[in-house]
Amino acid sequence: MSSLTISQPPSSIRDKSFPSDHVETPIIPRAETSTVPQQDMTQSHSSLFGWFSGSNFVSRVVEKTKSSVESVITTLDPQMKEYIKSGGDIDIIVASTKEVKIGPIREAMQQAFGRATVTGRDSESNTAAQPLGYAAALRGAQERISRLRQQDDIKEKQAIVAIEGFIVELQVDGWFEMSCLHLQDPAHNITVTTYSQPTPIPTPYVLTAQDRTPTDYPLRWSGLAVTIGQVVEEAQPHIGRSNWQLALAGVSRYQSLSLAAQVLAYLYKQQFPTSYIS
């Protein structure tokens, strides 16, 4: 049986020592930290806040928030809209104490100018109870303004709006009720007149009002002694004289005046000095 002989490694290898506890650590180059000068940082902050304050971003956010809050308030309490939108350079008096006349003018002016103070004062005209025709209506509105200016507490150049309802025959046996809206602003030398949309009136109501107007009625030149509202109320008590337009034509007088008031406010703003418009 032959024996297995294991040869020894060369002495050059046997004498080489390999320490077991030594591990060579790699050298990682250290990154240099860049230092921003204090002056550059200050300029950067200044530029940032300068852009932030100089842009329209903040003003748009504030305006949007304000508009949203006002919308919520006026939805919960519609009467608050009068106070929120009051103020500014626009100050107008309506020659009436009826909300059906004051409300449309206030809403239209505040919509056109952003803010406007609109109040009502009672004033009468020297025309018939039921004015007949455009000329009588315009004269009645002018008289209401003239009489209001005679009051001591009214400013000399106060802007005033008067509304005068009237009836007119626009076609044969075709009668309609309309309103004349007349604005005078002596301070800015502005006069604006417009009219509401016509509301059809059944002819029998007009004939009844004519029959009940005496021949010696002193104001017959300007119209009738009995209003259409009175005639309608007597014929149909469930309707009432203040809401007959809605019952007969489907559109209330408030709605009709609102549209006419928007036209009036727009025409007024077109002639108004731009320095007063926000």
Side-chain angles (χ1 to χ4, degrees):
M1 183 175 180
S2 61
S3 60
L4 179 63
T5 304
I6 300 175
S7 60
Q8 296 294 326
S11 60
S12 59
I13 297 179
R14 290 199 310 267
D15 296 340
K16 184 81 66 175
S17 61
F18 293 90
S20 60
D21 59 346
H22 176 72
V23 178
E24 187 175 355
T25 304
I27 300 175
I28 301 175
R30 184 176 181 180
E32 295 184 1
T33 304
S34 60
T35 303
V36 180
Q38 183 66 26
Q39 182 179 0
D40 293 344
M41 290 291 291
T42 303
Q43 291 178 352
S44 177
H45 289 175
S46 176
S47 300
L48 174 62
F49 288 103
W51 170 85
F52 190 73
S53 60
S55 67
N56 294 327
F57 176 76
V58 176
S59 60
R60 289 199 301 267
V61 171
V62 171
E63 187 63 29
K64 185 67 175 179
T65 303
K66 178 182 176 183
S67 177
S68 300
V69 172
E70 290 180 355
S71 178
V72 172
I73 293 175
T74 54
T75 299
L76 297 176
D77 187 358
Q79 294 182 348
M80 285 297 296
K81 186 175 182 179
E82 174 185 349
Y83 301 98
I84 292 176
K85 296 292 186 179
S86 294
D89 297 320
I90 308 302
D91 181 15
I92 293 177
I93 293 179
V94 179
S96 176
T97 55
K98 298 178 180 179
E99 183 61 22
V100 71
K101 293 183 177 181
I102 301 172
I105 298 297
R106 179 191 299 118
E107 293 172 3
M109 291 298 174
Q110 291 176 347
Q111 180 180 352
F113 292 95
R115 291 188 178 277
T117 300
V118 180
T119 55
R121 295 286 296 270
D122 190 32
S123 182
E124 300 295 332
S125 66
N126 192 33
T127 55
Q130 179 59 76
L132 177 61
Y134 289 91
L138 179 57
R139 179 167 176 175
Q142 292 171 336
E143 287 183 354
R144 290 180 186 274
I145 294 176
S146 179
R147 290 195 175 189
L148 197 57
R149 293 197 186 283
Q150 296 174 6
Q151 299 184 18
D152 296 335
D153 58 341
I154 300 297
K155 293 183 293 186
E156 180 182 359
K157 295 187 176 182
Q158 173 69 50
I160 302 176
V161 175
I163 300 176
E164 191 75 18
F166 66 101
I167 61 174
V168 60
E169 189 178 19
L170 297 179
Q171 58 192 36
V172 178
D173 292 332
W175 289 89
F176 297 84
E177 186 267 349
M178 300 176 64
S179 291
C180 172
L181 290 74
H182 184 66
L183 180 150
Q184 292 182 5
D185 182 357
H188 302 99
N189 195 29
I190 299 175
T191 300
V192 181
T193 304
T194 188
Y195 297 87
S196 68
Q197 67 180 42
T199 299
I201 308 171
T203 302
Y205 291 137
V206 179
L207 296 178
T208 299
Q210 290 176 342
D211 293 340
R212 293 177 55 183
T213 300
T215 55
D216 58 348
Y217 179 53
L219 299 176
R220 192 179 180 90
W221 61 269
S222 61
L224 308 175
V226 181
T227 67
I228 298 300
Q230 288 178 270
V231 176
V232 173
E233 184 180 44
E234 293 172 1
Q236 303 186 57
H238 64 284
I239 293 179
R241 70 179 65 185
S242 62
N243 208 28
W244 66 268
Q245 292 94 338
L246 177 61
L248 298 183
V251 177
S252 68
R253 192 184 187 199
Y254 194 103
Q255 292 173 308
S256 179
L257 289 178
S258 292
L259 293 175
Q262 290 179 33
V263 176
L264 183 78
Y266 178 83
L267 296 177
Y268 180 43
K269 184 178 180 180
Q270 291 297 102
Q271 301 182 48
F272 214 80
T274 55
S275 58
Y276 285 83
I277 301 176
S278 57

